Amino acid sequence: MTELVLANARLVLPSEVRHGAVVIRDGVIAAIEAGTAVPRGAVDCAGDLIAPGLIELHTDNLERHLAPRPGVDWPHAAAVIAHDRELAGTGITTVYDALRVGSLVDTTIKGRGRYARALASEILEMRALGALKISHFLHLRAEICSQTLLDELDEFGPDDRIGIVSLMDHTPGQRQFADLAQLRVYMRGKHGMSDDDFDAHVARQQALGAQVRSPHEAAVVAAAQRFGATLASHDDTTDQQVAISARHGVRLAEFPTTLAAAHACHAHGIAVMMGAPNLIRGGSHSGNVAAADLAASGRLDILSSDYVPAALLQGAVQLGQRLGNMALGFGAVTHAPARAAGLTDRGQIREGLRADLIRVALPGSVPMLQAVWVRGARVG
């Protein structure tokens, strides 16, 4: 039996922060003790926060390692390991690696080809070999406006550790891309499209979306049920879109773009997730609703690091400071995402749960990560 005691800490519990110690035996939280005493052999945390390991439901970080420059395909095993180590170094102990399913076969736009099945197999193989420091699940981002979605979904099964399937509709004129003028600027900058190329792209994608939307949505809902995964929506904008999400059985709303959509999500019992970069920067980089406004309205449940892994810890602290309750801030990156994803073995400091923990010094407004443990073993 191995034992580790983290003493003289401020324990971040679901509803409060209080002084105490955590006793870890064989990778599990065995006991929680009150007070500031430091028993012989214990780690003296000197009043630092001890919180559950952070749980990341949506991140584009793996894609950044796979393609560090436009047109560069980095060796996948090296990219996955770098991604894994980076997340461990930011306090994330559980991640849902986001992989797009649904591709375009008749386009010159780079980055829209098939890749999910092959990469998922590599991630799962590396996990089986013990090469990864933190816990990895898969998040399939199902692109409705695509040509290969049905075939790609059929390549996956219940044994692939798929925890989340999200319904994404990036048809021009819909949801995130509702503003075609803004989309035109984006496509010019990212893909070098001329105005004629952009107009042709919009017409082609809108025709495709109208053709495949209904059958593709039905297939994604069925696939999530087959995988035993949480079904998520993406960029809900209107009450009507949220109502459709609710009928599909969506339990998690990723980045609703308006306050009205967030209110509608709560009315239907759907958890709302927003990007921590949005909260930290003071607003959305694409002009959508600010995460801080949702927090002030009681409509922000979960934070995601999105495109900045270190933002998850910073966002939790900033949210706790905004709300005047650090336990609530950390809840948005620990037990709330665990609950949304159906995880019952982590996300809280509680006897019997996995000892996925982080130690954080907070001398001011910027958290300083001191240590990270996964199942009681130090990984960062």
Side-chain angles (χ1 to χ4, degrees), residues 5-354:
V5 180
L6 306 176
N8 188 23
R10 288 182 295 149
L11 306 182
V12 182
L13 305 176
S15 60
E16 64 175 338
V17 177
R18 71 166 185 249
H19 285 283
V22 180
V23 180
I24 301 166
R25 296 193 185 102
D26 293 334
V28 174
I29 298 172
I32 301 168
E33 300 173 351
T36 59
V38 182
R40 184 175 180 179
V43 175
D44 184 353
C45 294
D48 288 346
L49 297 172
I50 293 293
L54 311 184
I55 298 174
E56 175 56 75
L57 302 186
H58 173 115
T59 175
D60 298 332
N61 192 60
L62 178 55
E63 295 179 2
R64 181 172 62 83
H65 285 283
L66 291 168
R69 289 289 187 272
V72 173
D73 184 18
W74 200 251
H76 289 184
V80 172
I81 288 175
H83 163 67
D84 172 79
R85 301 313 194 255
E86 181 180 2
L87 297 190
T90 62
I92 295 170
T93 56
T94 298
V95 63
Y96 287 73
D97 291 318
L99 309 178
R100 174 182 47 78
V101 287
S103 307
L104 299 175
V105 299
D106 57 355
T107 182
T108 58
I109 299 177
K110 294 180 180 179
R112 293 305 303 271
R114 296 174 73 148
Y115 73 98
R117 176 66 264 179
L119 182 57
S121 295
E122 290 180 280
I123 293 171
L124 295 173
E125 181 180 0
M126 294 175 72
R127 176 183 176 274
L129 292 172
L132 304 178
K133 287 182 175 290
I134 69 172
S135 181
H136 288 253
F137 294 89
L138 300 183
H139 173 172
L140 297 186
R141 304 179 67 194
E143 180 53 70
I144 298 303
C145 188
S146 65
Q147 294 163 313
T148 66
L149 179 58
L150 302 184
D151 289 341
E152 291 193 54
L153 287 173
D154 285 344
E155 296 176 334
F156 290 89
D159 296 329
D160 284 317
R161 286 180 66 85
I162 300 168
I164 301 172
V165 177
S166 55
L167 287 153
M168 298 197 309
D169 191 348
H170 287 130
T171 305
Q174 297 278 335
R175 298 174 182 258
Q176 183 180 0
F177 292 155
D179 187 339
L180 290 180
Q182 188 176 47
L183 178 60
R184 184 185 298 269
V185 173
Y186 174 81
M187 297 300 280
R188 278 177 176 169
K190 186 168 184 178
H191 300 290
M193 279 190 174
S194 67
D195 285 341
D196 288 344
D197 289 339
F198 176 77
D199 291 339
H201 167 76
V202 168
R204 182 171 58 249
Q205 290 302 105
Q206 287 181 339
L208 176 61
Q211 176 185 354
V212 303
R213 184 167 294 110
S214 293
H216 278 190
E217 286 185 357
V220 173
V221 173
Q225 294 173 345
R226 178 164 58 92
F227 303 147
T230 294
L231 184 64
S233 62
H234 194 75
D235 295 330
D236 283 330
T237 301
T238 66
D239 292 358
Q240 182 181 15
Q241 288 171 347
V242 174
I244 293 172
S245 294
R247 288 199 296 272
H248 286 325
V250 164
R251 291 167 46 196
L252 171 66
E254 298 185 311
F255 318 128
T257 65
T258 64
L259 183 57
H263 282 306
C265 285
H266 270 225
H268 287 284
I270 299 171
V272 171
M273 180 168 72
M274 295 294 285
N278 180 322
L279 182 73
I280 293 166
R281 295 179 64 253
S284 166
H285 74 278
S286 56
N288 296 326
V289 68
D293 290 342
L294 296 192
S297 301
R299 294 296 180 261
L300 174 57
D301 302 301
I302 299 167
L303 287 175
S304 160
S305 69
D306 200 2
Y307 56 93
V308 184
L312 201 58
L313 178 57
Q314 176 69 38
V317 169
Q318 190 163 320
L319 181 60
Q321 291 170 336
R322 281 177 174 272
L323 298 175
N325 186 325
M326 197 57 66
L328 291 181
F330 271 89
V333 299
T334 57
H335 62 81
R339 182 170 58 248
L343 296 174
T344 58
D345 63 345
R346 70 197 76 185
Q348 296 183 41
I349 297 178
R350 196 177 77 204
E351 292 181 10
L353 298 192
R354 286 170 54 119

